[in-house]
Amino acid sequence: MVKEIYTDKSPAAIGPYSQAIQAGDYLYVSGQIPVNPESGEVVDGIEKQTKQVMENMKAVLEEAGASFAQVAKFTIFINNMDDFATINELYGSYLEKPYPARATVEVSRLPKDVLIEMDAIVYLGN
């Protein structure tokens, strides 16, 4: 049995998908991009985009009754590996040990031509 997770504190899906799906003890958070949910606009620059993605992710997690501490794995998609150190520092400021597993992948293009997108797998069990 699956349950859709939705919050207006994160941008609405721009296609046929949910912000997140809870399946048993797991939460699968769809790719979050740096769209400000209040304005509907993409924020500028890699620092602001990274922070916006993390805030959007945080809102979805909170709606599901979860937190960053329960994330088992993140996947980060970026359009320029030269931004890795900046992203890593900002991303890390939202987390505490033990850190989740992670993959970071450079891609040629992301939705709305954003610089970063991030998804997550979250364990909701004890």
Side-chain angles (χ1 to χ4, degrees), residues 7-113:
T7 177
D8 60 4
K9 295 177 182 170
S10 188
I14 56 174
Y17 62 91
S18 300
Q19 288 175 333
I21 289 290
Q22 182 178 345
D25 287 340
Y26 289 90
L27 180 70
Y28 299 89
V29 183
S30 292
Q32 298 296 307
I33 62 174
V35 171
N36 179 312
E38 293 177 13
S39 69
E41 299 295 320
V42 173
V43 299
D44 292 328
I46 193 59
E47 294 90 358
K48 288 181 183 175
Q49 286 199 11
T50 301
K51 288 179 185 177
Q52 187 67 61
V53 165
M54 294 303 287
E55 290 298 321
N56 293 346
M57 181 73 67
K58 181 179 176 183
V60 174
L61 293 174
E62 287 176 350
E63 185 65 26
S67 71
F68 285 121
Q70 293 165 274
V71 175
K73 182 171 189 290
F74 280 107
T75 305
I76 304 173
F77 303 94
I78 58 178
N79 78 339
N80 188 341
M81 199 56 80
D82 291 341
D83 292 330
F84 181 82
T86 300
I87 292 164
N88 205 42
E89 182 178 335
L90 294 167
Y91 157 89
S93 72
Y94 284 82
L95 306 174
E96 295 178 6
K97 288 184 177 184
Y99 298 124
R102 181 181 82 186
T104 304
V105 181
E106 182 180 77
V107 297
S108 64
R109 193 166 181 206
L110 291 164
K112 295 186 177 253
D113 291 318

